[in-house]
């Protein structure tokens, strides 16, 4: 009996431990991946040498070693895929409504290079062991390949337990190719084929006369039995994932941190708010205030706000092209984990795009890998007082959601409206969220606290200078109970347009711009609809001997001096409905000075 039990236990332990170890390595910070990949490649080369060396031996120990080499040679295939080095030409989910063979084709594209690498490795192993008596290493690799392909097809066609928590954050787009259902038609065939092969192998082991053959067939039969068990784990409602929960320990941040979200519609004044907040923190004693990291999300594929926040005493990480929903939520979650691992900040400031789904963003903070480490969460929503009536009329649900989830509402640009309009805005917001603290800002300074809601964390509100492009105030409110708000999946979009109907256009300036011409097109955009219904324009350009930051928000155009970074690229972004891209391209191109030779 020992001749069967020991190989079975050995196979079970090595399979369980190596799976958990790969999960652990795949969830470390991405900066470690190159070292893990180099190590895995050296192990693969050693295993190929070991498979060839043991292929001519028929002792019990050679069977153990060959099994070990075959299993760890397979480990390279797993690590190379889950770390993103050998995957496929597709790195995103299917577009909305994709199904059938097109969906299957997209699924193949996500791992095409990976599958070809497996075929190449299998061919090498077959060649190394061809005609030799010890084929344990080769057949171990083949059984693992079978387990991989069968399980992969089953989760694509639909099973109950997808175990999505083991997907590294950088591969979260693969969830779009997993289907949750009780069972699929392939599953019974997978189980039956595996049971037949396992039964034949165990029968051969029982009838074997030599110790080597008995050990070899026990190894392979155990692996097929584990394949059967792995398949049943996919459909039986058991917490099988707990077997490797220890592998996720590497994903957890090592230090608790505060999160401050600065939300607000397009042009409300979020970026200036962030600049002032960073200036306040820079003036404080860092030993008390702690280290700050900023995550910025621009709606367009070309980001502007990150450049405006650089050089403000904090590390800035940009997440361009999205509204923090769908796949971008996964990018944010991964970026937060990588940020904490890299910088160990005490505070993370997040500026989402003006069309962001704040509930989805809060949902990211609820993910198991982050929730225990989010020490405090605050949401400040900035409102453009002058544009509020028009914006609310067209997007009432969006503004209601932002108001409901806010810790503090800052009614910004209050100097541009009458007292009656200010009271109207405040009353509307108060009806949307009776408990929230509402403040007004004039020329960037907090003017008054209009609601005496309870405030758990008092904040400083130092005077700000007048910045007419993004005037806003700064306030902290009560702790935000982020456990009360589940992430929404109520909209879908590609990277060019979101569910609110907004699309973006951008271009780069290759020449110096004429300041008067630039000012003229900005005023034209603010006052007319000839370029489309534009909600926001922002950009950076070279003018004369220096640089400017220009902006159109809330019907107002502005242009201010700007200090560029070392590798700054002059560029412009427009966001709105029905954009006339040709007219925008022509208008901004005309701003460039044709320098004489």
């Amino acid at each position: 009996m020992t001749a069967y039990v020991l190989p079975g236990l050995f196979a079970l332990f090595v399979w369980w431990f190596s799976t958990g170890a790969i999960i652990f390595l795949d969830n470390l910070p991405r900066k470690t991946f190159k070292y893990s990949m180099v190590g895995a490649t050296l192990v693969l080369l050693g295993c190929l040498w070991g498979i060839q060396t043991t292929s001519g031996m028929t002792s019990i120990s050679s069977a153990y070693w060959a099994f070990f080499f075959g299993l760890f040679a397979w480990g390279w295939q797993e690590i190379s895929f889950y770390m993103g080095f050998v995957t496929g030409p597709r790195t995103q989910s299917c577009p909305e409504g994709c199904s059938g063979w097109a969906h299957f084709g997209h699924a193949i594209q996500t791992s095409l290079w990976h599958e070809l690498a497996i075929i190449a490795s299998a061919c090498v192993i077959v060649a190394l062991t061809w005609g030799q008596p010890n084929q344990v290493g080769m057949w171990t690799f083949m059984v693992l390949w079978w387990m991989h392909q069968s399980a992969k097809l089953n989760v694509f066609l639909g099973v109950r337990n997808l175990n999505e928590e083991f997907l590294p954050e950088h591969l979260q787009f693969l969830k779009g190719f997993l289907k949750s259902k009780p069972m699929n038609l392939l599953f019974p065939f997978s189980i039956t084929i595996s049971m037949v092969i396992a039964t034949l192998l165990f029968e051969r082991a029982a009838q074997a006369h030599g110790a080597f053959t008995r050990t070899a067939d026990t190894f392979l039969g155990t692996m097929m039995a584990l394949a059967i068990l792995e398949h049943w784990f996919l459909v039986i409602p058991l917490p099988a994932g707990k077997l490797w929960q220890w592998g996720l320990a590497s994903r957890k941040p090592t230090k608790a941190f505060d999160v401050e979200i600065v939300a607000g519609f397009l042009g409300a004044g979020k970026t200036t708010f962030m600049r002032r907040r960073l200036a306040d923190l820079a003036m404080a004693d860092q030993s008390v205030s702690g280290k700050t990291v900023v995550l910025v999300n621009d709606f367009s594929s070309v980001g502007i706000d990150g450049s405006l926040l650089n050089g403000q005493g904090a590390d800035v990480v940009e997440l361009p092209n999205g509204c923090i929903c769908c796949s971008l939520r996964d990018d944010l979650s991964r970026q937060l984990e990588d940020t904490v691992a890299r910088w160990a900040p005490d505070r993370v400031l997040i500026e989402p795009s003006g069309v962001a789904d704040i509930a989805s963003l809060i949902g990211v903070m609820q993910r198991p890998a982050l929730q225990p480490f989010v020490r405090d969460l605050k949401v400040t929503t900035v409102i453009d007082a002058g544009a509020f009536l028009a914006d609310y009329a067209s997007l009432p649900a969006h503004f209601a959601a932002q108001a409901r989830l806010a810790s503090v509402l800052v009614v910004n640009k209050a100097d541009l409206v009458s007292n009656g309009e200010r009271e109207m805005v405040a009353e509307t917001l108060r009806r949307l969220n009776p408990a929230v603290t509402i403040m007004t800002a004039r020329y960037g300074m907090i003017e008054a606290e209009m609601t005496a809601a309870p405030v758990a964390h008092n904040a400083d509100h130092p005077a700000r200078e007048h910045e007419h492009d993004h005037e806003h105030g700064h306030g902290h409110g009560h702790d935000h109970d982020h456990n009360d708000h589940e992430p929404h999946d109520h909209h879908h979009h590609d990277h060019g347009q979101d569910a609110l109907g907004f699309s973006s256009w951008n271009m780069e300036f290759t020449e110096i711009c004429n300041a008067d011409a630039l000012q003229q097109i900005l005023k034209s955009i603010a006052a007319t609809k000839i370029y489309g219904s534009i909600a926001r324009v922002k950009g950076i350009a070279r003018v004369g001997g220096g640089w400017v930051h220009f902006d159109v928000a809330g019907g107002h155009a502005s242009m201010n001096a700007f200090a560029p970074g070392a590798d700054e690229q002059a560029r412009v972004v427009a966001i709105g409905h029905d954009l006339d891209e040709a007219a925008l391209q022509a208008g901004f191109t005309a701003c460039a000075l044709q320098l004489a030779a």
Side-chain angles (χ1 to χ4, degrees):
M1 182 61 67
T2 303
Y4 304 104
V5 173
L6 288 181
L9 291 177
F10 181 81
L12 176 63
F13 175 78
V14 175
W15 167 77
W16 169 80
F17 180 79
S18 60
T19 301
I22 291 172
I23 293 172
F24 184 89
L25 292 173
D26 288 341
N27 284 281
L28 286 170
R30 297 188 73 177
K31 63 183 180 181
T32 67
F33 285 7
K34 56 186 177 183
Y35 305 111
S36 296
M37 195 63 199
V38 169
T41 302
L42 293 176
V43 169
L44 171 64
L45 295 175
C47 288
L48 293 177
W49 172 85
I51 288 172
Q52 182 184 39
T53 301
T54 57
S55 64
M57 306 176 185
T58 55
S59 62
I60 294 178
S61 61
S62 68
Y64 273 85
W65 278 113
F67 171 78
F68 180 88
F69 291 140
L71 191 147
F72 273 75
W74 176 262
W76 184 92
Q77 316 298 327
E78 298 290 275
I79 286 177
S80 66
F81 177 76
Y82 286 107
M83 290 187 177
F85 290 104
V86 185
T87 54
R90 188 175 187 87
T91 57
Q92 59 186 4
S93 297
C94 281
E96 182 69 15
C98 182
S99 61
W101 286 109
H103 184 55
F104 183 69
H106 291 156
I108 292 175
Q109 291 174 24
T110 64
S111 59
L112 182 59
W113 314 142
H114 173 57
E115 301 300 338
L116 292 176
I118 294 175
I119 294 173
S121 298
C123 291
V124 170
I125 292 174
V126 169
L128 292 175
T129 59
W130 188 263
Q132 298 301 314
N134 186 347
Q135 298 284 317
V136 175
M138 186 272 291
W139 283 114
T140 298
F141 190 92
M142 295 301 180
V143 169
L144 287 163
W145 189 6
W146 159 254
M147 294 171 67
H148 162 78
Q149 292 291 3
S150 180
K152 187 175 180 179
L153 285 171
N154 274 283
V155 296
F156 175 80
L157 295 172
V159 292
R160 183 188 301 272
N161 304 318
L162 298 174
N163 292 323
E164 296 169 303
E165 68 270 23
F166 293 110
L167 273 178
E169 291 297 330
H170 57 279
L171 292 180
Q172 291 293 315
F173 72 92
L174 291 177
K175 289 181 180 180
F177 299 98
L178 311 181
K179 183 181 294 185
S180 180
K181 58 189 294 188
M183 192 181 291
N184 65 79
L185 293 178
L186 176 65
F187 184 83
F189 292 96
S190 301
I191 289 291
T192 302
I193 294 171
S194 298
M195 288 184 66
V196 169
I197 297 174
T199 300
L200 293 174
L201 287 168
F202 282 130
E203 283 184 355
R204 276 187 39 142
Q207 298 169 4
H209 297 294
F212 169 78
T213 302
R214 183 167 55 247
T215 302
D217 288 338
T218 300
F219 274 136
L220 299 178
T222 301
M223 292 306 295
M224 287 306 303
L226 290 173
I228 297 169
L229 180 64
E230 199 174 66
H231 278 68
W232 281 116
F233 280 162
L234 295 175
V235 298
I236 297 177
L238 294 174
K242 292 188 179 296
L243 288 171
W244 295 284
Q245 198 69 32
W246 58 273
L248 294 177
S250 60
R251 184 183 293 182
K252 294 181 179 180
T254 57
K255 180 179 179 181
F257 54 93
D258 296 335
V259 176
E260 299 180 22
I261 300 171
V262 180
F265 194 56
L266 298 167
K270 299 184 300 297
T271 303
T272 303
F273 179 94
M274 294 285 280
R275 288 169 65 90
R276 300 305 186 189
R277 178 73 175 115
L278 291 173
D280 292 346
L281 292 170
M283 292 174 61
D285 185 347
Q286 192 173 29
S287 64
V288 177
S289 64
K291 183 174 180 59
T292 300
V293 173
V294 179
L295 297 184
V296 183
N297 167 227
D298 271 309
F299 177 67
S300 171
S301 59
V302 174
I304 300 292
D305 295 341
S307 293
L308 301 179
L309 293 172
N310 274 317
Q312 301 296 312
D315 295 295
V316 178
V317 179
E318 293 189 76
L319 286 172
N321 205 3
C323 69
I324 302 190
C325 52
C326 303
S327 62
L328 188 59
R329 288 207 307 268
D330 305 318
D331 292 339
L332 175 64
S333 181
R334 172 187 58 79
Q335 194 66 68
L336 268 173
E337 293 177 42
D338 287 352
T339 294
V340 173
R342 179 178 179 184
W343 284 298
D346 298 278
R347 179 186 301 97
V348 177
L349 302 183
I350 302 176
E351 181 191 343
S353 75
V355 294
D357 180 355
I358 303 304
S360 293
L361 195 160
I362 293 172
V364 170
M365 311 305 163
Q366 294 180 272
R367 293 192 171 186
L370 287 173
Q371 185 177 21
F373 299 89
V374 178
R375 186 170 51 206
D376 186 29
L377 173 61
K378 300 184 182 73
V379 178
T380 298
T381 298
V382 183
I383 303 291
D384 184 337
F388 179 76
L389 272 179
D391 291 340
Y392 183 78
S394 59
L395 299 169
H398 180 76
F399 277 83
Q402 288 207 340
R404 179 175 60 86
L405 296 172
S407 309
V408 172
L409 289 167
V410 176
V411 181
N412 192 30
K413 306 182 185 179
D415 57 305
L416 301 181
V417 299
S418 66
N419 290 335
E421 288 178 291
R422 290 165 57 183
E423 287 296 332
M424 176 275 301
V425 172
E427 181 60 26
T428 304
L429 297 174
R430 190 177 291 112
R431 287 178 180 273
L432 294 172
N433 188 349
V436 75
T437 297
I438 302 176
M439 299 179 176
T440 59
R442 182 183 182 187
Y443 301 131
M445 294 186 295
I446 292 295
E447 184 180 59
E449 186 174 307
M450 301 179 66
T451 299
V455 180
H457 291 270
N458 293 326
D460 297 325
H461 305 300
R464 318 278 204 256
E465 73 231 36
H466 183 188
E467 292 194 21
H468 215 65
D469 59 333
H470 282 120
E471 304 99 339
H472 65 272
H474 166 217
H476 290 272
H478 56 278
D479 291 347
H480 191 88
D481 188 358
H482 54 288
N483 293 319
D484 290 341
H485 305 290
E486 296 295 334
H488 295 332
D489 283 315
H490 65 270
H491 68 282
H492 304 275
H493 60 84
D494 58 33
H495 283 169
Q497 185 173 28
D498 83 319
L500 300 179
F502 290 97
S503 59
S504 66
W505 165 88
N506 64 80
M507 69 168 281
E508 293 184 351
F509 293 109
T510 57
E511 299 180 30
I512 297 174
C513 288
N514 179 281
D516 292 336
L518 184 58
Q519 187 72 267
Q520 184 176 352
I521 188 175
L522 295 177
K523 289 182 177 179
S524 177
I525 290 172
T528 70
K529 300 288 186 181
I530 61 175
Y531 299 98
S533 181
I534 296 181
R536 184 74 191 279
V537 170
K538 51 186 174 180
I540 299 168
R542 292 179 296 164
V543 172
W547 289 69
V548 296
H549 162 237
F550 57 88
D551 190 276
V552 176
H556 297 276
S558 65
M559 194 158 58
N560 302 287
F562 174 70
D567 300 317
E568 200 68 70
Q569 174 62 53
R571 58 204 186 274
V572 58
V573 173
I575 302 170
H577 301 282
D578 304 320
L579 301 180
D580 188 338
E581 297 187 3
L584 286 167
Q585 185 82 25
F588 280 102
T589 300
C591 296
L593 290 173
Q594 302 299 320
L595 300 180

